[in-house]
Amino acid sequence: MTTKTRLLLKLAGLTGALLLSLGVAAPQEARAELRIDITRGVVEPLPIAITSFAGAGGRDAQTGADIAKVISADLERSGLFRPLDPRGFLQTPEQLRAGDPRYQDWKALGAQALVAGNTTTGSDGRMKVDFRLWDIASSQYMHGLSYTAPVQEWRRIAHIVADAIYKRLTGEDGYFDTRIVYVAESGPANVRKKQLAIMDQDSENHQFLTDGQSLVLTPRFSPTTQEITYMSYFNKKPRVYLFNIDTGRQEVLGDFPGMTFAPRFSPDGNRVIMSMAQNGNTDIYTLDLRTRRQTQLTDSPGIDTAPSYSPDGQRIVFESDRGGSQQLYLMGADGSGVKRLSFGEGRYGTPVWSPRGDLIAFTRQRGSSFAVGVIRPDGSGERILSEGYHVEGPTWAPNGRVLMFFKDLPSGDGRGRNAKLYSIDITGANERRVSTPLDASDPAWSPLIP
């Protein structure tokens, strides 16, 4: 690894711990009834007013405005909220800082919820950010928190505030304080350059983690830490790496000539599960990261690959052609009790278990058409979320509410590829392009940043 690459990897980590204080000077939290019901298939976005966070002027005022913009963008992108135009607001951030809102003014704008906040930078260079949330419809204060962090962490604070608002109004954890690692692609199809890249979930703070001299494939995030596994070719042989995003520490897990996908972590982060071809047969193995001991789980004449653990670590979903066509199968964590999960038309692959355990995402190929869908672990409720020329590589947000994947569209310019990242709600609504500087494939969503 080059010195430049190692420096970038260190910069991808946090520059300072965030301190949370629950002692915000605000009215006692009310048990307001405002709540978005996200169990329905179609949700009308909630009109929400988000004011600039008041500051004493200069840098604090600008930072407060920037924080409000990031919060608005996070909530709007979820598809569950409709931030109102600040140009119509009848109260200033300074007025809200001094007291409660004039509820009738906000009701007249159609707002059902209101967010306001303050930013203050101390002499030590650390910034304190407070926010408050009101239920406008019932004229009640709902929630408030305070955060302290280095000034340069203002964007992350905004994501954390957006997560807190999302949770208070939906009842589910947010997913905005997260990162995406993916494969950045460039160049013609016959000499494709593939680099490992990382960015915040809103496409900001983008950095390349490898220089593209070696081909990289299928990065996977640990569910417990800011660690990834990924596969790279060393001397034309696939080698699997374990890499800590925050520290920049990297180690080789081993050379696996028969591997086609990088391993996935177990829920506790102590093992990885993978498929390897040995003696002409592809089966599923686990590797203990502490002892490096391998355990074989399947022994089938078919190709068993792409395994993924359930969140409780008790079951594994994988793809196999043991029944004559590529389908999804379930088994116990010890390899017992194998049973077929998918029975639809077409070929099913790349299964990934939801962090909530209620759904399994998959890729389906039927003829020349690809699709990303979800199915329940009992085989019921199969739904296609997105279809296209080439749609593949689903990965879950840590709250199990949103999926990200990539679409590979005909480019028409001779390059042969035009791969882009997209996100979509598990209802199949709110499909959105995720911006990247180059073509992008194989995304992996991090857990919430600790």
Side-chain angles (χ1 to χ4, degrees):
M1 185 186 298
T2 66
T3 301
K4 180 180 179 182
T5 300
R6 189 175 293 109
L7 175 61
L8 288 175
L9 293 174
K10 289 182 179 179
L11 289 175
L14 298 180
T15 58
L18 292 173
L19 300 180
L20 170 63
S21 170
L22 299 179
V24 180
Q28 185 176 359
E29 182 168 330
R31 289 298 175 185
E33 295 302 321
L34 181 61
R35 179 66 64 91
I36 301 175
D37 181 3
I38 59 177
T39 61
R40 295 174 293 158
V42 178
V43 176
E44 184 68 24
L46 179 82
I48 186 170
I50 303 170
T51 71
S52 290
F53 281 36
R59 184 174 66 177
D60 282 348
Q62 183 59 56
T63 301
D66 292 339
I67 287 174
K69 289 177 182 177
V70 171
I71 295 170
S72 294
D74 279 346
L75 296 177
E76 190 277 333
R77 198 165 47 251
S78 75
L80 301 177
F81 300 87
R82 178 169 61 85
L84 300 178
D85 188 343
R87 292 175 296 183
F89 294 173
L90 300 176
Q91 273 188 287
T92 67
E94 289 72 26
Q95 289 172 328
L96 289 168
R97 184 177 189 175
D100 289 337
R102 297 193 299 264
Y103 290 104
Q104 290 305 318
D105 288 349
W106 297 102
K107 288 177 182 178
L109 294 177
Q112 294 187 35
L114 168 64
V115 176
N118 311 307
T119 61
T120 307
T121 302
S123 59
D124 61 354
R126 296 179 67 81
M127 177 179 59
K128 180 182 179 183
V129 177
D130 307 323
F131 88 92
R132 291 180 290 170
L133 172 67
W134 290 274
D135 177 352
I136 296 301
S138 62
S139 301
Q140 293 188 78
Y141 168 81
M142 292 185 71
H143 193 44
L145 291 172
S146 177
Y147 305 92
T148 301
V151 173
Q152 61 267 31
E153 298 285 1
W154 70 266
R155 180 175 287 276
R156 188 180 170 203
I157 292 179
H159 293 317
I160 292 173
V161 172
D163 280 332
I165 296 168
Y166 182 98
K167 183 171 185 177
R168 186 63 181 86
L169 293 177
T170 69
E172 297 190 354
D173 290 334
Y175 58 93
F176 305 120
D177 185 30
T178 57
R179 296 184 279 199
I180 306 293
V181 67
Y182 71 97
V183 176
E185 302 189 21
S186 59
N190 59 339
V191 286
R192 198 69 166 163
K193 182 179 180 180
K194 295 190 175 186
Q195 302 171 255
L196 206 62
I198 192 169
M199 62 186 179
D200 294 346
Q201 55 79 29
D202 61 352
S203 300
E204 297 293 334
N205 293 324
H206 186 281
Q207 297 180 58
F208 295 104
L209 301 183
T210 59
D211 58 14
Q213 295 301 307
S214 299
L215 184 70
V216 297
L217 298 170
T218 55
R220 313 293 194 206
F221 251 108
S222 167
T224 59
T225 64
Q226 295 294 305
E227 275 191 325
I228 61 170
T229 62
Y230 72 94
M231 189 167 67
S232 182
Y233 279 82
F234 180 78
N235 291 333
K236 298 183 179 180
K237 294 181 180 180
R239 170 174 285 183
V240 175
Y241 293 88
L242 181 67
F243 178 76
N244 187 295
I245 297 293
D246 288 339
T247 66
R249 183 174 181 270
Q250 180 171 266
E251 60 180 298
V252 177
L253 283 184
D255 295 324
F256 304 100
M259 181 176 289
T260 56
F261 291 92
R264 289 192 186 276
F265 286 89
S266 62
D268 60 10
N270 292 328
R271 291 163 291 152
V272 293
I273 189 167
M274 55 191 174
S275 63
M276 291 190 296
Q278 296 187 5
N279 301 319
N281 200 48
T282 302
D283 287 299
I284 294 173
Y285 296 77
T286 60
L287 176 68
D288 190 302
L289 295 177
R290 297 160 297 185
T291 65
R292 294 297 194 267
R293 178 187 176 190
Q294 292 183 19
T295 302
Q296 184 175 348
L297 298 184
T298 65
D299 185 13
S300 164
I303 298 174
D304 299 337
T305 187
S308 174
Y309 277 103
S310 62
D312 61 7
Q314 298 301 305
R315 291 183 291 174
I316 295 165
V317 62
F318 63 100
E319 65 179 73
S320 176
D321 64 356
R322 62 177 62 197
S325 66
Q326 184 179 330
Q327 298 291 333
L328 306 184
Y329 288 80
L330 291 175
M331 65 179 175
D334 59 357
S336 63
V338 176
K339 65 177 182 179
R340 183 168 164 177
L341 176 64
S342 62
F343 290 89
E345 295 182 9
R347 300 167 58 192
Y348 289 70
T350 61
V352 189
W353 218 303
S354 164
R356 298 195 300 193
D358 57 339
L359 293 170
I360 294 169
F362 60 84
T363 301
R364 186 196 70 188
Q365 182 181 7
R366 182 183 294 173
S368 59
S369 177
F370 283 76
V372 164
V374 292
I375 189 172
R376 296 191 185 102
D378 63 3
S380 66
E382 180 179 331
R383 290 182 289 112
I384 296 300
L385 304 182
S386 183
E387 295 185 78
Y389 165 74
H390 185 192
V391 182
E392 200 168 355
T395 182
W396 289 96
N399 70 348
R401 178 72 192 179
V402 181
L403 281 165
M404 191 174 293
F405 56 94
F406 74 94
K407 287 186 178 182
D408 191 5
L409 307 174
S411 63
D413 61 4
R415 294 188 307 152
R417 292 204 73 176
N418 184 23
K420 306 298 179 185
L421 301 185
Y422 289 81
S423 64
I424 195 167
D425 189 273
I426 58 172
T427 64
N430 195 39
E431 181 173 326
R432 298 195 177 210
R433 166 86 181 276
V434 179
S435 177
T436 55
L438 300 175
D439 285 356
S441 64
D442 297 309
W445 214 315
S446 81
L448 288 171
I449 301 173

